[in-house]
Amino acid sequence: LNAFQVYVLEAITNPDHAAIILFTFMIGGMVGIVSKSGGMQGVVNKIIPFARTPERGQAATGVLGLVIFFDDYANVLVVGNTMRQVTDKLRVSREKLAYIVDSTAAPVACVAFVTTWIGFEVGQIATGMQLMDGYNEAAYTVFLKSIPYSFYPILAMFFVFLVSLSGRDFGPMYHAEIRARTKGQVLSPTARVDESAGGARELVPKEGQPQRAVNAMIPISVLISGVLVGLYVTGEGNGLREIIGSADSYKALMWASLLGAFTAAALSIGQRILTIAETVDAWYAGLKAMMIAMIILVLAWALSAVTEVLNTAGYLVSILGDTLHPGFVPALVFILSAATAFATGSSWGTMGILMPLVLPLTWAVMQASNMATPENYGIIYSTVSCVLAGSVWGDHCSPISDTTILSSMASGSDHIDHVRTQLPYALLVGSVGMVIGTIPTGFGLPWWLALPISAVILVGIHRFLAKPVDLEFQAENGTVT
């Protein structure tokens, strides 16, 4: 009974937790308004004219996936539904479209510094850091410093453009692309697709109204600049690093999310694209899309409090602290996160379960090895990134993942075909990221050296494994011959 009456209640009434819930809802509401007013579609319309060949069509889809960085669900639904008609005309398989959509949604959302993910991530980092005696960095600062160590998300986005622009594929994806090019069959003969399942009516722009990219870019710019100004205003110190490190990130994010939502609403109402009632409905639709995620977040906080009472982290430290070298911890965390996300289908649930456990464990292992010093803090940053990156990797490989399912739906692809064609690419990128990036950086290799080396190795492996989809195309009057 206490699990609900005590721990869930305390998770909600904690002021920092409440701030995270509120600014996440507000960012979700801003996404809803921007979508309904046609702002996102306006951005899409600016990019589509460049997609005149299969390679450029795939690259344009990838660019859109990066542009709509602030929410993975909105990213998947908008890009998949919009680019489907374009890629069908270019004879790009639905499996390839689903792969590009899936591999630019969660990866960019988990590493961008202001997204609907940020509250969840920072909240879990802060929870884990409560048990790290002697470690004093702010949770948001730790998140920012962990981004360069996020090898899988960064390399996954790189690999999307490598595959798209090279015109070369391998494994089941190669056969899907050959089928689409030679026969014009963007779907496999055995595909089962509900074409209306990924429609997301609440994200569809209002009919008969202009679709202006500026209505998306201005609110997003206000959101980003609001965070930066808020961090500067609430921080103290001489240098920029000191100011950001001491800033109240929760306050900055609440200010920025409110201003972003107000800006989106003002633009929609001021241009008479939406009425006040329609704007409120769109805001609520965006907020409602975040509800399941917030429930997961609250329960994850409660679970973390329960594991703290049970001294789960202390038990893990007692059995691993003296035997495990700190350099191996990030890689082990990456594997554990990937396995958990694959089994559960939830990257957010994985973060909520593991972050409060592995951060105290990592710190204790570093203390046992006399490595708990600022020059070794890279291991902490890498561990944080490995929880996030491993969660996304397992999420990509799992057939029961929400974003994987949404990618199939929005792209109009058979779900099993999407999983089967994406799996070899995700496994390759994840393996290279861990072996060439995560493990060496755990033993002191700088991230700025490990990242380009990993990218070069990926290019070499892709060149060796992949075969060109060896046909010539001409785009004339919107058709391909």
Side-chain angles (χ1 to χ4, degrees):
L1 295 177
N2 281 347
F4 182 67
Q5 186 268 322
V6 175
Y7 298 107
V8 173
L9 178 62
E10 290 179 351
I12 295 176
T13 56
N14 181 298
D16 288 345
H17 293 178
I20 290 170
I21 293 170
L22 289 173
F23 71 66
T24 301
F25 276 147
M26 196 61 72
I27 293 175
M30 186 199 76
V31 171
I33 296 172
V34 167
S35 300
K36 194 66 179 177
S37 68
M40 277 193 195
Q41 189 62 47
V43 174
V44 170
N45 294 342
K46 294 287 186 182
I47 295 176
I48 285 178
F50 296 99
R52 299 192 178 189
T53 67
E55 291 76 19
R56 291 174 68 176
Q58 295 171 53
T61 305
V63 169
L64 274 176
L66 300 186
V67 169
I68 306 176
F69 64 88
F70 40 85
D71 180 66
D72 58 329
Y73 288 171
N75 183 314
V76 164
L77 293 170
V78 171
V79 178
N81 281 292
T82 301
M83 295 302 294
R84 188 167 60 204
Q85 294 180 350
V86 177
T87 54
D88 281 358
K89 288 181 181 179
L90 297 172
R91 294 190 184 183
V92 175
S93 67
R94 294 279 182 86
E95 293 94 325
K96 175 62 80 63
L97 173 62
Y99 159 70
I100 296 172
V101 167
D102 203 359
S103 294
T104 52
V108 70
C110 84
V111 297
F113 77 96
V114 52
T115 69
T116 53
W117 286 49
I118 185 65
F120 188 96
E121 293 169 332
V122 172
Q124 292 307 310
I125 294 169
T127 301
M129 289 174 59
Q130 290 174 359
L131 301 177
M132 296 168 62
D133 294 332
Y135 190 86
N136 298 316
E137 285 191 292
Y140 192 71
T141 302
V142 172
F143 167 72
L144 293 177
K145 291 182 178 180
S146 75
I147 292 175
Y149 295 89
S150 298
F151 293 104
Y152 177 71
I154 295 171
L155 292 174
M157 292 183 281
F158 168 77
F159 200 68
V160 162
F161 289 97
L162 173 62
V163 170
S164 299
L165 295 172
S166 68
R168 301 168 69 95
D169 288 283
F170 63 87
M173 189 71 80
Y174 172 77
H175 299 292
E177 285 291 273
I178 288 294
R179 181 200 70 230
R181 298 292 205 284
T182 57
K183 300 179 181 179
Q185 296 177 351
V186 294
L187 285 166
S188 66
T190 58
R192 299 178 63 184
V193 177
D194 181 359
E195 292 284 0
S196 64
R201 298 302 306 170
E202 293 169 329
L203 287 174
V204 174
K206 185 178 178 181
E207 293 183 1
Q209 295 293 340
Q211 296 171 346
R212 301 182 176 119
V214 69
N215 290 336
M217 301 312 296
I218 291 179
I220 294 169
S221 299
V222 169
L223 179 66
I224 295 172
S225 59
V227 171
L228 295 174
V229 173
L231 290 173
Y232 184 81
V233 169
T234 59
E236 297 177 354
N238 297 321
L240 187 60
R241 178 171 294 185
E242 283 186 22
I243 293 173
I244 292 178
S246 63
D248 187 338
S249 58
Y250 295 153
K251 186 180 290 186
L253 284 162
M254 289 191 74
W255 290 345
S257 63
L258 179 66
L259 291 174
F262 273 158
T263 302
L267 287 170
S268 300
I269 296 169
Q271 298 173 66
R272 298 185 179 181
I273 296 174
L274 300 176
T275 64
I276 294 177
E278 289 170 335
T279 301
V280 173
D281 288 343
W283 176 83
Y284 177 65
L287 179 151
K288 190 168 58 177
M290 303 306 302
M291 187 64 71
I292 292 297
M294 289 301 97
I295 292 172
I296 294 173
L297 178 56
V298 169
L299 295 178
W301 280 325
L303 177 63
S304 173
V306 171
T307 57
E308 182 178 347
V309 173
L310 295 175
N311 199 29
T312 307
Y315 171 70
L316 292 174
V317 170
S318 69
I319 61 175
L320 297 174
D322 296 329
T323 58
L324 187 62
H325 189 282
F328 285 116
V329 172
L332 292 176
V333 168
F334 182 78
I335 294 171
L336 182 59
S337 298
T340 305
F342 182 85
T344 62
S346 172
S347 52
W348 283 45
T350 300
M351 295 176 204
I353 293 168
L354 293 182
M355 193 73 80
L357 291 177
V358 300
L359 279 179
L361 172 64
T362 305
W363 185 242
V365 170
M366 291 172 65
Q367 288 176 323
S369 302
N370 295 318
M371 294 179 63
T373 55
E375 57 266 22
N376 295 313
Y377 280 2
I379 295 176
I380 296 291
Y381 308 144
S382 184
T383 300
V384 169
S385 73
C386 283
V387 175
L388 309 180
S391 299
V392 173
W393 187 33
D395 204 50
H396 276 172
C397 297
S398 176
I400 60 173
S401 158
D402 51 0
T403 49
T404 303
I405 293 169
L406 277 176
S407 297
S408 302
M409 289 166 51
S411 303
S413 170
D414 180 274
H415 180 56
I416 299 302
D417 287 344
H418 168 44
V419 174
R420 183 174 54 85
T421 52
Q422 176 168 269
L423 193 58
Y425 288 5
L427 288 174
L428 171 62
V429 176
S431 300
V432 170
M434 184 179 66
V435 174
I436 310 301
T438 300
I439 294 177
T441 53
F443 287 90
L445 183 70
W447 65 264
W448 48 265
L449 195 57
L451 199 55
I453 292 174
S454 300
V456 169
I457 290 176
L458 272 180
V459 171
I461 295 176
H462 174 261
R463 186 73 182 178
F464 176 75
L465 292 178
K467 295 181 286 186
V469 182
D470 200 8
L471 295 169
E472 294 182 0
F473 298 91
Q474 292 179 342
E476 295 179 357
N477 301 320
T479 62
V480 176
T481 58

